[in-house]
């Protein structure tokens, strides 16, 4: 039987203290300024003031109390033993007969996600409505939930989507929750609900496909269910919903930079590099690719956020002497100079801090520590992996390389950056896995989509929530041109929100479309839970 221990467990604490934690190099948590954003769930912290009490008045452990579960290293070979998988839980809202609400934030250290135990999120809203227990489970190979003391290629052998799915099953069927009667709340004894967002939203969908009847209900927000190698569609919702004048000028500047960088005119090339203080970068795809950062800031927006770096960037381009440009923008000449001024005067320092431009934005030095650091709690490295079998010769199972749009389609980012740019990074980070290939590794997304049904998932009791303004929309069931139908057994809803906006309760206060999605989700899940009957699992 799996064993739990509180945070004082000596052996685990020693491991945590011994671990060399990889530090993010950019303010948004990435290892490097020219590595794309991950499909991540926004962190939500739990309230710190006041005690946590159950519905009968019992004082409970704080939300940030860490528990440990003995998870199997390899679900195909249990003899390899177990590792300590962290989780957080509370039965603050529980009533006998209520559901168990399980959530994993996916590709991140789960410590900052304790708010998902509370009604600050849809998880807590569901628990509050149905009298449930809430759990946050750290994904294998993220944070401090690691089978081995490093993230070497050898250690990452068991970091696969299928192992992560099997983790959810083994946890649900084996865990003894730290609460009265917590040893009698397995599937079959209590209804379980699985919740996820972004990648973990996709994992939620994959689990419902792969483990039918394990979870009575599931909620998948901004779920990137379709794995795509050349994910230029990341920038489509941004282009569609950003201020028109800003979009026009960004497109004009990028088209000009691409034309100059492919012209061979050394004087003009050097002039643009100097404008952005990137003269030290020798590879032009690094220079042009770095400007994706201003567009990536869109992912940090939410209905309840006030402004943000993205709109600060657009204001820098479009407001001149207190006057905003019309829908066509100010044009190339002003926009190029304004972008460069904004980049050099404040944005670069905000992005890279004290790092020089080659260290922060150059990607061609295979000896940089971003490629060679194998310490645990390195989410960027773990995300770059995700392989099911080294024989696949793929960097990962999902792709999602964020590049320029095809010729003939408007683009906000350079076309100099294409999938080989990111695939090369895979060979730097995992040389021992790929050095013998003789070619760049290409993610085997077809195999992932076939195994877990991608866009074509059809399973009962699975609620999908998406946002029109989500940059990950084109990998979800709300992608342009897909026209998937919502059904009572698999509802498909969409708000005017951004990435995973419907997971966060405050977003519903300011956006009625987010509120409508949350209300539909609560109603659907309540109905499915009402159908549950005890069984032998």
């Amino acid at each position: 039987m799996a064993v739990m221990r509180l945070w004082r467990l000596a052996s685990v604490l020693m491991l945590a203290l011994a671990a060399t934690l990889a530090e993010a190099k950019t303010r948004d948590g990435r290892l490097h300024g020219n590595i794309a954003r991950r499909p991540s769930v926004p962190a939500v912290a739990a309230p710190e003031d006041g005690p946590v009490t159950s519905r009968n008045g019992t004082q409970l452990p704080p939300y940030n109390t860490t528990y440990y579960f003995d998870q199997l290293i390899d679900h195909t070979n249990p003899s390899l033993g177990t590792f300590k998988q962290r989780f957080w839980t509370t039965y603050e809202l529980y009533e006998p007969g209520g559901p168990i609400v399980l959530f994993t934030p996916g590709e991140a250290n789960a410590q900052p996600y304790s708010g998902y135990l509370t009604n600050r999120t849809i998880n807590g809203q569901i628990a509050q409505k149905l009298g449930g227990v809430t759990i946050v489970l750290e994904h294998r190979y993220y944070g401090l939930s690691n089978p081995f003391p490093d993230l070497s290629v050898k250690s990452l052998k068991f970091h696969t989507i299928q192992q992560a799915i099997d983790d959810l099953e083994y946890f649900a069927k084996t865990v003894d929750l730290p609460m009265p009667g917590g040893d009698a709340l397995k599937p079959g004894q209590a209804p379980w609900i699985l919740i996820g967002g972004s990648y973990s939203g996709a994992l939620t969908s994959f689990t419902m496909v792969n483990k039918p009847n394990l979870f009575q209900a599931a909620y998948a927000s901004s779920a990137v269910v379709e794995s795509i190698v050349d994910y230029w569609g990341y920038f489509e919702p941004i282009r569609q919903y950003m201020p028109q004048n800003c979009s026009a000028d960004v497109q004009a500047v990028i088209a000009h930079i691409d034309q100059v960088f492919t012209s061979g005119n050394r004087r003009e090339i050097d002039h643009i590099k100097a404008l952005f203080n990137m003269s030290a970068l020798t590879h032009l795809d690094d220079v042009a690719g770095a400007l994706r950062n201003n567009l990536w800031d869109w992912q940090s927006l939410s209905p309840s956020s006030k402004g943000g770096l993205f709109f600060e960037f657009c204001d820098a381009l479009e407001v001149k002497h207190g006057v905003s440009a019309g829908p066509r923008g100010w044009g190339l000449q002003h926009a190029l100079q304004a972008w460069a001024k904004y980049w050099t005067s404040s944005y670069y320092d905000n992005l890279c801090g004290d790092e020089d431009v080659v260290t922060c934005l150059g990607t061609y030095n295979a000896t940089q520590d971003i490629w060679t650091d194998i310490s645990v709690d390195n989410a960027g490295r773990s995300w770059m992996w995700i392989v099911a079998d080294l024989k696949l010769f793929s960097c990962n199972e999902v792709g999602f390389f964020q590049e320029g749009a095809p010729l003939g389609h408007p683009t906000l980012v350079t076309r100099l950056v294409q999938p080989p740019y990111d695939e090369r990074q895979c060979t730097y980070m995992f040389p021992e896995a790929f050095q013998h290939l003789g070619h760049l590794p290409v993610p085997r997304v077809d195999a992932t989509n076939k195994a877990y049904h991608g866009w074509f998932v059809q399973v009962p009791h699975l609620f999908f929530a998406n946002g029109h303004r989500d940059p990950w929309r084109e990998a979800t069931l709300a992608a342009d041109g897909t026209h998937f139908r919502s059904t009572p057994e698999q509802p498909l809803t969409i708000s005017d929100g951004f990435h995973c906006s419907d997971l966060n309760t405050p977003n519903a206060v300011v956006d009625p479309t987010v509120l409508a999605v949350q209300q539909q989700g609560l109603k659907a899940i309540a109905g499915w839970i009402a159908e549950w009957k005890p069984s032998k699992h």
Side-chain angles (χ1 to χ4, degrees):
M1 179 175 290
V3 180
M4 298 175 297
R5 296 290 185 268
L6 286 173
W7 63 273
R8 296 180 180 85
L9 187 67
S11 61
V12 178
L13 183 58
M14 289 175 62
L15 177 62
L17 290 174
T20 304
L21 303 182
E23 293 183 2
K25 303 296 184 182
T26 66
R27 54 171 166 70
D28 55 16
R30 289 174 295 138
L31 291 177
H32 187 270
N34 254 324
I35 291 180
R37 293 286 292 261
R38 302 191 302 274
S40 301
V41 178
V44 176
E48 297 181 358
D49 54 324
V52 181
T53 56
S54 70
R55 284 183 164 175
N56 65 11
T58 302
Q59 186 162 333
L60 306 180
Y63 298 119
N64 63 0
T65 302
T66 306
Y67 302 90
Y68 292 89
F69 173 76
D70 286 336
Q71 184 62 265
L72 294 176
I73 294 173
D74 180 8
H75 292 275
T76 67
N77 183 11
S79 67
L80 289 183
T82 63
F83 69 96
K84 300 297 181 184
Q85 187 172 31
R86 298 197 299 178
F87 72 99
W88 295 259
T89 184
T90 186
Y91 60 100
E92 172 188 21
L93 302 169
Y94 180 69
E95 292 182 352
I100 311 303
V101 182
L102 176 62
F103 167 81
T104 175
E107 72 286 25
N109 183 312
Q111 188 90 40
Y113 289 82
S114 58
Y116 285 85
L117 300 174
T118 75
N119 60 10
R120 291 184 173 187
T121 61
I122 192 68
N123 309 41
Q125 288 189 48
I126 292 170
Q128 188 169 31
K129 181 180 180 68
L130 302 178
V133 175
T134 50
I135 304 171
V136 173
L137 179 67
E138 191 164 65
H139 194 297
R140 63 167 53 210
Y141 288 95
Y142 292 98
L144 302 182
S145 295
N146 297 275
F148 305 104
D150 61 43
L151 297 178
S152 64
V153 167
K154 181 180 179 181
S155 296
L156 287 165
K157 179 180 179 181
F158 304 107
H159 181 29
T160 70
I161 289 174
Q162 187 58 52
Q163 293 281 2
I165 292 171
D166 293 341
D167 284 350
L168 297 174
E169 178 184 40
Y170 188 72
F171 180 86
K173 288 184 174 181
T174 314
V175 69
D176 291 341
L177 293 174
M179 59 180 286
D183 59 346
L185 294 173
K186 314 294 190 294
Q189 298 172 311
W192 281 63
I193 301 169
L194 183 60
I195 298 180
S198 201
Y199 158 65
S200 77
L203 191 65
T204 295
S205 177
F206 298 166
T207 302
M208 294 295 281
V209 169
N210 192 255
K211 308 291 182 183
N213 304 316
L214 177 64
F215 292 93
Q216 178 65 13
Y219 186 111
S221 173
S222 294
V224 289
V225 293
E226 184 74 3
S227 297
I228 303 168
V229 175
D230 186 357
Y231 188 51
W232 61 270
Y234 178 94
F235 299 101
E236 274 298 276
I238 304 174
R239 183 182 66 83
Q240 293 166 356
Y241 286 97
M242 69 190 289
Q244 232 181 321
N245 51 12
C246 190
S247 175
D249 278 340
V250 167
Q251 291 178 56
V253 171
I254 292 302
H256 174 69
I257 290 175
D258 279 4
Q259 185 275 320
V260 169
F261 281 6
T262 55
S263 71
N265 186 322
R266 178 49 55 187
R267 184 180 64 82
E268 289 191 26
I269 291 171
D270 289 345
H271 172 67
I272 288 177
K273 289 170 65 177
L275 271 180
F276 289 89
N277 281 353
M278 297 191 207
S279 297
L281 290 177
T282 57
H283 296 273
L284 297 181
D285 48 3
D286 282 344
V287 177
L291 300 181
R292 292 177 295 173
N293 280 282
N294 296 113
L295 285 305
W296 281 328
D297 287 331
W298 180 273
Q299 187 170 323
S300 300
L301 297 175
S302 72
S304 58
S305 64
K306 298 178 180 179
L309 281 174
F310 184 87
F311 289 108
E312 182 181 282
F313 161 67
C314 280
D315 285 348
L317 269 60
E318 303 308 322
V319 179
K320 182 168 60 173
H321 307 306
V323 178
S324 295
R328 295 184 179 181
W330 292 114
L332 172 63
Q333 185 175 359
H334 171 80
L336 177 62
Q337 297 296 325
W339 194 341
K341 181 180 179 182
Y342 174 69
W343 180 275
T344 56
S345 63
S346 62
Y347 189 80
Y348 178 86
D349 287 344
N350 188 288
L351 175 68
C352 300
D354 295 331
E355 283 192 336
D356 63 84
V357 69
V358 175
T359 301
C360 183
L361 301 174
T363 66
Y364 282 84
N365 179 0
T367 65
Q368 265 186 284
D369 62 356
I370 60 164
W371 312 123
T372 60
D373 180 8
I374 62 172
S375 57
V376 299
D377 199 13
N378 185 339
R381 183 177 179 86
S382 294
W383 176 248
M384 286 281 277
W385 183 253
I386 311 185
V387 295
D389 189 332
L390 287 180
K391 294 191 293 292
L392 293 178
F393 299 134
S394 59
C395 181
N396 58 41
E397 298 175 287
V398 294
F400 295 137
F401 300 146
Q402 296 153 30
E403 329 292 24
L407 287 171
H409 192 93
T411 188
L412 296 175
V413 300
T414 179
R415 292 190 175 94
L416 271 64
V417 173
Q418 294 298 320
Y421 180 87
D422 298 281
E423 291 158 3
R424 170 182 51 81
Q425 295 177 6
C426 297
T427 68
Y428 289 177
M429 194 167 276
F430 311 112
E432 56 269 60
F434 306 120
Q435 60 189 359
H436 60 288
L437 277 183
H439 61 81
L440 292 176
V442 179
R444 292 287 296 272
V445 297
D446 289 345
T448 305
N449 292 330
K450 182 179 179 180
Y452 307 114
H453 301 181
W455 275 327
F456 302 99
V457 56
Q458 289 185 343
V459 295
H461 296 189
L462 174 56
F463 183 90
F464 282 104
N466 296 299
H468 286 297
R469 291 170 171 78
D470 181 6
W472 292 97
R473 188 192 67 203
E474 296 304 283
T476 76
L477 290 177
D480 282 347
T482 53
H483 307 299
F484 294 111
R485 291 178 59 235
S486 178
T487 68
E489 286 294 277
Q490 187 178 289
L492 173 59
T493 62
I494 190 162
S495 72
D496 290 333
F498 297 86
H499 191 54
C500 296
S501 293
D502 52 278
L503 290 181
N504 195 329
T505 300
N507 289 330
V509 176
V510 296
D511 188 333
T513 67
V514 173
L515 176 62
V517 166
Q518 291 181 351
Q519 289 175 336
Q520 291 175 70
L522 287 166
K523 181 178 179 181
I525 288 176
W528 296 331
I529 294 301
E531 298 172 7
W532 177 84
K533 295 179 180 179
S535 65
K536 291 184 178 181
H537 243 274

